[in-house]
């Protein structure tokens, strides 16, 4: 029996998204064509755009569909020379000057109009207070899990990726006020209001729109409150089994589903492999690149030393996670820890 506890990496496809995508598969036309079939495909795209606008609280904003948050980040950040903190995702970190300090998990923003700041961190789950006038925010991990409205945020641009909230992989969006001047990174036929050329991925876009509506409905219904309680149960049980465990961001506001904890002397990637063999999908606090394991700069930025950061494990729960699954994970993790100590 497999148990999936890696929802920050990607969330399962929502039934609403699957239904919308299956329906879109029967729509033949190209959204740029003027005939009836093309208009039907265009209608699918525009319906999803309206759904996403409503879900993210952006009724009067422009929304450009992209291949994901990475492309949307490039569209928002390229050539702007914005400042940010080292905790940002690689897709943002590639374009910014990582000079903003992090104090007790919180990023100190000195000039919002010249800065980018994420809503939530994928590794630690720590939430940031987004200041009015902020230039750009990556809301990928937070959307659908914590309240957010573009219209009242006062932020210049935000972007997100569908697969983090139950949509399909390979589609994202950049959201910004109408009339904002954005230089297209992909030249061609001028689709997406001239901001992103290339025929729209109608099927994936349909899934994104449906997933966004469903995600916002779950949030409004308080569905993540139950998940937060499960996260707390998990952490109390882990702490009882291993009192030297460090829970990253425990005293800060966090995503309701995310626990990042450090076990001194037990490398995160070793834990991931051990738990995978035990039937659980989780992630380490370190990132693998070109076959080499690197200590997470995010964990360094929030105050961990290299040895501590190397022992980080991230467990990210979903709306379908049960208490029984959480306790089975704790039991398996505790057994693996005991065997390692005895070795």
């Amino acid at each position: 029996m497999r148990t999936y506890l890696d929802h920050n990496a990607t969330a399962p496809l929502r039934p609403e998204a699957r239904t919308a995508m299956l329906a879109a598969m029967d729509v033949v036309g190209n959204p740029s064509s003027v005939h009836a079939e093309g208009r039907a495909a265009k209608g699918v795209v525009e319906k999803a755009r309206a759904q996403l606008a409503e879900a993210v609280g952006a009724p009067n904003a422009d929304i450009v569909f992209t291949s994901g948050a990475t492309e949307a980040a490039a569209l928002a950040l390229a050539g702007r020379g914005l400042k940010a903190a080292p905790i940002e995702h690689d897709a943002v970190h590639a374009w910014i000057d990582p000079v903003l300090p992090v104090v007790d998990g919180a990023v100190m923003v000195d000039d919002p109009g010249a800065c980018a700041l994420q809503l939530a961190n994928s590794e630690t789950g720590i939430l940031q207070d987004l200041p009015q006038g902020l230039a750009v925010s990556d809301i990928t991990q937070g959307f659908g899990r914590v309240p957010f409205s573009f219209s009242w945020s006062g932020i210049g641009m935000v972007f997100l990726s569908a697969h983090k909230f139950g949509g399909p992989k390979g589609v994202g969006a950049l959201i910004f006020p109408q009339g904002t001047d954005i230089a297209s990174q992909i030249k061609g036929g001028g689709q997406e209001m001239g901001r992103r050329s290339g025929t729209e991925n109608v099927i994936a876009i349909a899934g994104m729109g449906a997933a966004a509506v469903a995600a916002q409905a779950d949030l409004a219904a308080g569905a993540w409150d139950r998940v937060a309680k499960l996260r707390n149960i998990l952490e109390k049980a882990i702490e009882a089994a291993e009192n030297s465990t460090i829970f990253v961001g425990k005293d800060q506001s966090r995503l309701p589903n995310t626990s990042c904890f450090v076990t001194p002397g037990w490398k995160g990637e070793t834990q991931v492999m051990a738990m995978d063999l035990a039937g659980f999908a989780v992630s380490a606090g370190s990132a693998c690149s070109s076959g080499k394991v690197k200590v997470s700069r995010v964990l360094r930025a929030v105050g961990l030393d290299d040895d501590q950061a190397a022992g980080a494990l991230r467990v990210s729960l979903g709306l379908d996670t049960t208490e029984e699954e959480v306790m089975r994970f704790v039991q398996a993790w505790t057994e693996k820890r005991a065997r390692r100590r005895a070795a």
Side-chain angles (χ1 to χ4, degrees):
M1 178 188 299
R2 297 288 302 176
T3 300
Y4 187 73
L5 301 176
D6 199 18
H7 289 255
N8 283 12
T10 194
L13 189 68
R14 288 175 175 270
E16 298 88 349
R18 185 186 302 274
T19 298
M21 293 171 72
L22 288 172
M25 288 179 183
D26 291 329
V27 179
V28 177
N30 185 313
S32 296
S33 298
V34 298
H35 48 59
E37 288 81 1
R39 295 196 304 274
K42 183 70 171 178
V44 173
V45 172
E46 294 310 315
K47 177 182 178 180
R49 204 185 312 272
Q51 288 174 316
L52 182 57
E54 180 180 0
V56 80
N60 299 313
D62 281 344
I63 295 177
V64 172
F65 287 115
T66 65
S67 62
T70 296
E71 183 191 339
L75 190 57
L77 297 167
R80 298 183 65 180
L82 297 180
K83 297 181 293 183
I87 64 169
E88 296 291 334
H89 188 278
D90 284 346
V92 173
H93 196 262
W95 299 104
I96 53 86
D97 184 10
V99 296
L100 297 183
V102 182
V103 179
D104 294 330
V107 176
M108 302 292 103
V109 177
D110 54 0
D111 181 6
C115 296
L117 179 61
Q118 63 189 201
L119 175 58
N121 188 267
S122 63
E123 292 185 44
T124 67
I126 294 175
L127 299 171
Q128 299 294 329
D129 290 327
L130 304 180
Q132 289 277 323
L134 186 68
V136 178
S137 182
D138 173 5
I139 65 169
T140 302
Q141 283 294 341
F143 173 74
R145 295 176 182 169
V146 294
F148 178 83
S149 172
F150 180 74
S151 62
W152 55 249
S153 70
I155 299 171
M157 299 181 187
V158 301
F159 58 87
L160 68 170
S161 189
H163 73 102
K164 301 295 187 178
F165 54 86
K169 302 174 184 68
V171 61
L174 177 65
I175 303 170
F176 48 89
Q178 289 181 354
T180 302
D181 185 20
I182 295 180
S184 174
Q185 300 293 309
I186 300 177
K187 309 296 183 181
Q191 289 88 347
E192 291 300 286
M193 300 162 281
R195 271 85 172 235
R196 197 269 186 184
S197 292
T199 300
E200 293 92 342
N201 186 345
V202 177
I203 297 167
I205 288 170
M208 183 177 192
V213 172
Q216 196 61 26
D218 281 338
L219 176 63
W224 288 101
D225 295 342
R226 182 191 68 86
V227 180
K229 292 178 181 177
L230 290 181
R231 190 268 313 277
N232 295 340
I233 289 171
L234 167 73
E235 292 186 342
K236 288 179 181 178
I238 292 291
E239 187 174 28
E242 178 60 75
N243 60 16
S244 65
T245 302
I246 301 168
F247 294 95
V248 182
K250 188 174 183 179
D251 296 327
Q252 283 82 43
S253 296
R254 288 182 291 166
L255 290 171
N257 74 318
T258 306
S259 179
C260 177
F261 54 90
V262 172
T263 306
W266 193 11
K267 289 188 175 182
E269 62 267 24
T270 304
Q271 295 184 61
V272 169
M273 290 186 286
M275 298 314 299
D276 187 32
L277 291 172
F280 297 90
V282 292
S283 291
S286 58
C288 293
S289 177
S290 301
K292 296 181 180 179
V293 177
K294 301 184 295 184
V295 173
S296 166
R297 57 179 162 74
V298 172
L299 298 181
R300 281 175 174 164
V302 297
L304 299 184
D305 61 35
D306 284 2
D307 288 340
Q308 290 172 328
L313 189 72
R314 183 192 70 189
V315 178
S316 48
L317 313 179
L319 290 173
D320 58 349
T321 303
T322 66
E323 184 172 351
E324 186 268 338
E325 289 174 328
V326 167
M327 296 313 297
R328 280 198 296 106
F329 169 82
V330 171
Q331 180 179 356
W333 184 90
T334 302
E335 290 174 355
K336 297 290 185 182
R337 178 59 172 159
R339 289 176 189 172
R340 182 173 180 83
R341 278 180 158 176

PDB file of all heavy atoms in Angstrom, residues 134-155:
ATOM      1  N   LEU A 134       4.111  45.556  -3.574  1.00  0.00           N
ATOM      2  CA  LEU A 134       5.104  44.557  -3.966  1.00  0.00           C
ATOM      3  C   LEU A 134       5.077  44.369  -5.481  1.00  0.00           C
ATOM      4  O   LEU A 134       4.007  44.323  -6.094  1.00  0.00           O
ATOM      5  CB  LEU A 134       4.800  43.238  -3.264  1.00  0.00           C
ATOM      6  CG  LEU A 134       5.805  42.095  -3.428  1.00  0.00           C
ATOM      7  CD1 LEU A 134       7.111  42.412  -2.721  1.00  0.00           C
ATOM      8  CD2 LEU A 134       5.215  40.789  -2.886  1.00  0.00           C
ATOM      9  N   ALA A 135       6.258  44.242  -6.086  1.00  0.00           N
ATOM     10  CA  ALA A 135       6.324  44.139  -7.544  1.00  0.00           C
ATOM     11  C   ALA A 135       5.778  42.810  -8.049  1.00  0.00           C
ATOM     12  O   ALA A 135       4.940  42.772  -8.962  1.00  0.00           O
ATOM     13  CB  ALA A 135       7.764  44.335  -8.020  1.00  0.00           C
ATOM     14  N   VAL A 136       6.250  41.700  -7.465  1.00  0.00           N
ATOM     15  CA  VAL A 136       5.886  40.365  -7.958  1.00  0.00           C
ATOM     16  C   VAL A 136       5.789  39.404  -6.781  1.00  0.00           C
ATOM     17  O   VAL A 136       6.593  39.473  -5.844  1.00  0.00           O
ATOM     18  CB  VAL A 136       6.940  39.830  -8.959  1.00  0.00           C
ATOM     19  CG1 VAL A 136       6.569  38.418  -9.420  1.00  0.00           C
ATOM     20  CG2 VAL A 136       7.080  40.756 -10.157  1.00  0.00           C
ATOM     21  N   SER A 137       4.823  38.495  -6.842  1.00  0.00           N
ATOM     22  CA  SER A 137       4.748  37.429  -5.844  1.00  0.00           C
ATOM     23  C   SER A 137       4.475  36.085  -6.508  1.00  0.00           C
ATOM     24  O   SER A 137       3.626  35.970  -7.398  1.00  0.00           O
ATOM     25  CB  SER A 137       3.650  37.698  -4.811  1.00  0.00           C
ATOM     26  OG  SER A 137       3.625  36.664  -3.833  1.00  0.00           O
ATOM     27  N   ASP A 138       5.207  35.095  -6.050  1.00  0.00           N
ATOM     28  CA  ASP A 138       4.974  33.700  -6.423  1.00  0.00           C
ATOM     29  C   ASP A 138       3.963  33.136  -5.429  1.00  0.00           C
ATOM     30  O   ASP A 138       4.290  32.895  -4.271  1.00  0.00           O
ATOM     31  CB  ASP A 138       6.303  32.941  -6.354  1.00  0.00           C
ATOM     32  CG  ASP A 138       6.152  31.441  -6.567  1.00  0.00           C
ATOM     33  OD1 ASP A 138       5.033  30.978  -6.855  1.00  0.00           O
ATOM     34  OD2 ASP A 138       7.170  30.730  -6.426  1.00  0.00           O
ATOM     35  N   ILE A 139       2.726  32.935  -5.880  1.00  0.00           N
ATOM     36  CA  ILE A 139       1.685  32.429  -4.980  1.00  0.00           C
ATOM     37  C   ILE A 139       1.424  30.940  -5.207  1.00  0.00           C
ATOM     38  O   ILE A 139       0.414  30.396  -4.752  1.00  0.00           O
ATOM     39  CB  ILE A 139       0.376  33.233  -5.124  1.00  0.00           C
ATOM     40  CG1 ILE A 139      -0.243  33.046  -6.518  1.00  0.00           C
ATOM     41  CG2 ILE A 139       0.613  34.705  -4.840  1.00  0.00           C
ATOM     42  CD1 ILE A 139      -1.664  33.591  -6.627  1.00  0.00           C
ATOM     43  N   THR A 140       2.360  30.277  -5.891  1.00  0.00           N
ATOM     44  CA  THR A 140       2.152  28.899  -6.327  1.00  0.00           C
ATOM     45  C   THR A 140       1.811  27.954  -5.185  1.00  0.00           C
ATOM     46  O   THR A 140       0.875  27.157  -5.292  1.00  0.00           O
ATOM     47  CB  THR A 140       3.407  28.392  -7.065  1.00  0.00           C
ATOM     48  OG1 THR A 140       3.672  29.250  -8.177  1.00  0.00           O
ATOM     49  CG2 THR A 140       3.218  26.973  -7.558  1.00  0.00           C
ATOM     50  N   GLN A 141       2.558  27.995  -4.086  1.00  0.00           N
ATOM     51  CA  GLN A 141       2.306  27.058  -2.990  1.00  0.00           C
ATOM     52  C   GLN A 141       1.126  27.466  -2.118  1.00  0.00           C
ATOM     53  O   GLN A 141       0.514  26.623  -1.464  1.00  0.00           O
ATOM     54  CB  GLN A 141       3.557  26.916  -2.116  1.00  0.00           C
ATOM     55  CG  GLN A 141       4.639  26.038  -2.708  1.00  0.00           C
ATOM     56  CD  GLN A 141       4.233  24.576  -2.830  1.00  0.00           C
ATOM     57  OE1 GLN A 141       3.302  24.107  -2.179  1.00  0.00           O
ATOM     58  NE2 GLN A 141       4.925  23.856  -3.692  1.00  0.00           N
ATOM     59  N   GLY A 142       0.799  28.746  -2.100  1.00  0.00           N
ATOM     60  CA  GLY A 142      -0.237  29.209  -1.188  1.00  0.00           C
ATOM     61  C   GLY A 142      -1.642  29.200  -1.749  1.00  0.00           C
ATOM     62  O   GLY A 142      -2.614  29.038  -1.001  1.00  0.00           O
ATOM     63  N   PHE A 143      -1.775  29.377  -3.073  1.00  0.00           N
ATOM     64  CA  PHE A 143      -3.119  29.498  -3.637  1.00  0.00           C
ATOM     65  C   PHE A 143      -3.952  28.250  -3.344  1.00  0.00           C
ATOM     66  O   PHE A 143      -3.513  27.123  -3.547  1.00  0.00           O
ATOM     67  CB  PHE A 143      -3.065  29.715  -5.152  1.00  0.00           C
ATOM     68  CG  PHE A 143      -4.428  29.682  -5.781  1.00  0.00           C
ATOM     69  CD1 PHE A 143      -5.294  30.746  -5.624  1.00  0.00           C
ATOM     70  CD2 PHE A 143      -4.864  28.566  -6.480  1.00  0.00           C
ATOM     71  CE1 PHE A 143      -6.573  30.710  -6.163  1.00  0.00           C
ATOM     72  CE2 PHE A 143      -6.134  28.517  -7.028  1.00  0.00           C
ATOM     73  CZ  PHE A 143      -6.992  29.592  -6.869  1.00  0.00           C
ATOM     74  N   GLY A 144      -5.167  28.478  -2.865  1.00  0.00           N
ATOM     75  CA  GLY A 144      -6.079  27.387  -2.565  1.00  0.00           C
ATOM     76  C   GLY A 144      -5.894  26.779  -1.192  1.00  0.00           C
ATOM     77  O   GLY A 144      -6.718  25.979  -0.753  1.00  0.00           O
ATOM     78  N   ARG A 145      -4.811  27.169  -0.499  1.00  0.00           N
ATOM     79  CA  ARG A 145      -4.550  26.641   0.843  1.00  0.00           C
ATOM     80  C   ARG A 145      -4.668  27.713   1.916  1.00  0.00           C
ATOM     81  O   ARG A 145      -4.968  27.406   3.065  1.00  0.00           O
ATOM     82  CB  ARG A 145      -3.151  26.010   0.904  1.00  0.00           C
ATOM     83  CG  ARG A 145      -2.999  24.790   0.021  1.00  0.00           C
ATOM     84  CD  ARG A 145      -1.577  24.271   0.041  1.00  0.00           C
ATOM     85  NE  ARG A 145      -1.423  23.128  -0.853  1.00  0.00           N
ATOM     86  CZ  ARG A 145      -0.261  22.598  -1.193  1.00  0.00           C
ATOM     87  NH1 ARG A 145       0.862  23.105  -0.702  1.00  0.00           N
ATOM     88  NH2 ARG A 145      -0.205  21.574  -2.014  1.00  0.00           N
ATOM     89  N   VAL A 146      -4.383  28.959   1.533  1.00  0.00           N
ATOM     90  CA  VAL A 146      -4.538  30.097   2.438  1.00  0.00           C
ATOM     91  C   VAL A 146      -5.253  31.207   1.672  1.00  0.00           C
ATOM     92  O   VAL A 146      -5.165  31.283   0.450  1.00  0.00           O
ATOM     93  CB  VAL A 146      -3.173  30.600   2.972  1.00  0.00           C
ATOM     94  CG1 VAL A 146      -2.518  29.543   3.852  1.00  0.00           C
ATOM     95  CG2 VAL A 146      -2.254  31.002   1.829  1.00  0.00           C
ATOM     96  N   PRO A 147      -5.967  32.086   2.373  1.00  0.00           N
ATOM     97  CA  PRO A 147      -6.708  33.145   1.685  1.00  0.00           C
ATOM     98  C   PRO A 147      -5.782  34.073   0.903  1.00  0.00           C
ATOM     99  O   PRO A 147      -4.714  34.456   1.373  1.00  0.00           O
ATOM    100  CB  PRO A 147      -7.396  33.892   2.832  1.00  0.00           C
ATOM    101  CG  PRO A 147      -7.487  32.890   3.939  1.00  0.00           C
ATOM    102  CD  PRO A 147      -6.237  32.067   3.828  1.00  0.00           C
ATOM    103  N   PHE A 148      -6.213  34.419  -0.303  1.00  0.00           N
ATOM    104  CA  PHE A 148      -5.488  35.392  -1.121  1.00  0.00           C
ATOM    105  C   PHE A 148      -6.450  35.983  -2.136  1.00  0.00           C
ATOM    106  O   PHE A 148      -7.241  35.265  -2.746  1.00  0.00           O
ATOM    107  CB  PHE A 148      -4.309  34.753  -1.855  1.00  0.00           C
ATOM    108  CG  PHE A 148      -3.582  35.732  -2.743  1.00  0.00           C
ATOM    109  CD1 PHE A 148      -2.619  36.575  -2.214  1.00  0.00           C
ATOM    110  CD2 PHE A 148      -3.900  35.839  -4.093  1.00  0.00           C
ATOM    111  CE1 PHE A 148      -1.972  37.507  -3.021  1.00  0.00           C
ATOM    112  CE2 PHE A 148      -3.264  36.761  -4.904  1.00  0.00           C
ATOM    113  CZ  PHE A 148      -2.294  37.596  -4.367  1.00  0.00           C
ATOM    114  N   SER A 149      -6.357  37.299  -2.316  1.00  0.00           N
ATOM    115  CA  SER A 149      -7.136  37.978  -3.349  1.00  0.00           C
ATOM    116  C   SER A 149      -6.231  38.985  -4.042  1.00  0.00           C
ATOM    117  O   SER A 149      -5.677  39.879  -3.398  1.00  0.00           O
ATOM    118  CB  SER A 149      -8.343  38.699  -2.743  1.00  0.00           C
ATOM    119  OG  SER A 149      -8.982  39.511  -3.720  1.00  0.00           O
ATOM    120  N   PHE A 150      -6.084  38.840  -5.333  1.00  0.00           N
ATOM    121  CA  PHE A 150      -5.216  39.748  -6.080  1.00  0.00           C
ATOM    122  C   PHE A 150      -5.711  41.185  -5.984  1.00  0.00           C
ATOM    123  O   PHE A 150      -4.923  42.120  -5.839  1.00  0.00           O
ATOM    124  CB  PHE A 150      -5.140  39.311  -7.542  1.00  0.00           C
ATOM    125  CG  PHE A 150      -4.268  40.187  -8.393  1.00  0.00           C
ATOM    126  CD1 PHE A 150      -2.891  40.126  -8.284  1.00  0.00           C
ATOM    127  CD2 PHE A 150      -4.826  41.083  -9.299  1.00  0.00           C
ATOM    128  CE1 PHE A 150      -2.074  40.944  -9.061  1.00  0.00           C
ATOM    129  CE2 PHE A 150      -4.027  41.900 -10.078  1.00  0.00           C
ATOM    130  CZ  PHE A 150      -2.641  41.834  -9.958  1.00  0.00           C
ATOM    131  N   SER A 151      -7.012  41.369  -6.027  1.00  0.00           N
ATOM    132  CA  SER A 151      -7.561  42.723  -6.081  1.00  0.00           C
ATOM    133  C   SER A 151      -7.279  43.521  -4.819  1.00  0.00           C
ATOM    134  O   SER A 151      -7.136  44.746  -4.874  1.00  0.00           O
ATOM    135  CB  SER A 151      -9.070  42.674  -6.346  1.00  0.00           C
ATOM    136  OG  SER A 151      -9.740  42.001  -5.304  1.00  0.00           O
ATOM    137  N   TRP A 152      -7.207  42.857  -3.649  1.00  0.00           N
ATOM    138  CA  TRP A 152      -6.908  43.609  -2.428  1.00  0.00           C
ATOM    139  C   TRP A 152      -5.460  43.494  -1.992  1.00  0.00           C
ATOM    140  O   TRP A 152      -5.047  44.107  -0.999  1.00  0.00           O
ATOM    141  CB  TRP A 152      -7.837  43.237  -1.278  1.00  0.00           C
ATOM    142  CG  TRP A 152      -7.949  41.801  -0.858  1.00  0.00           C
ATOM    143  CD1 TRP A 152      -9.030  40.996  -1.015  1.00  0.00           C
ATOM    144  CD2 TRP A 152      -6.976  40.995  -0.161  1.00  0.00           C
ATOM    145  NE1 TRP A 152      -8.799  39.738  -0.485  1.00  0.00           N
ATOM    146  CE2 TRP A 152      -7.542  39.715   0.050  1.00  0.00           C
ATOM    147  CE3 TRP A 152      -5.680  41.221   0.299  1.00  0.00           C
ATOM    148  CZ2 TRP A 152      -6.867  38.670   0.683  1.00  0.00           C
ATOM    149  CZ3 TRP A 152      -4.996  40.185   0.935  1.00  0.00           C
ATOM    150  CH2 TRP A 152      -5.591  38.932   1.117  1.00  0.00           C
ATOM    151  N   SER A 153      -4.660  42.731  -2.721  1.00  0.00           N
ATOM    152  CA  SER A 153      -3.270  42.526  -2.304  1.00  0.00           C
ATOM    153  C   SER A 153      -2.382  43.729  -2.577  1.00  0.00           C
ATOM    154  O   SER A 153      -1.378  43.940  -1.889  1.00  0.00           O
ATOM    155  CB  SER A 153      -2.683  41.303  -3.016  1.00  0.00           C
ATOM    156  OG  SER A 153      -2.486  41.565  -4.401  1.00  0.00           O
ATOM    157  N   GLY A 154      -2.716  44.512  -3.610  1.00  0.00           N
ATOM    158  CA  GLY A 154      -1.869  45.638  -3.974  1.00  0.00           C
ATOM    159  C   GLY A 154      -0.561  45.232  -4.615  1.00  0.00           C
ATOM    160  O   GLY A 154       0.391  46.017  -4.662  1.00  0.00           O
ATOM    161  N   ILE A 155      -0.498  44.011  -5.147  1.00  0.00           N
ATOM    162  CA  ILE A 155       0.720  43.486  -5.761  1.00  0.00           C
ATOM    163  C   ILE A 155       0.661  43.700  -7.273  1.00  0.00           C
ATOM    164  O   ILE A 155      -0.399  43.576  -7.892  1.00  0.00           O
ATOM    165  CB  ILE A 155       0.884  41.990  -5.435  1.00  0.00           C
ATOM    166  CG1 ILE A 155       0.994  41.805  -3.919  1.00  0.00           C
ATOM    167  CG2 ILE A 155       2.109  41.400  -6.129  1.00  0.00           C
ATOM    168  CD1 ILE A 155       0.952  40.358  -3.479  1.00  0.00           C
TER     169      ILE A 155
END
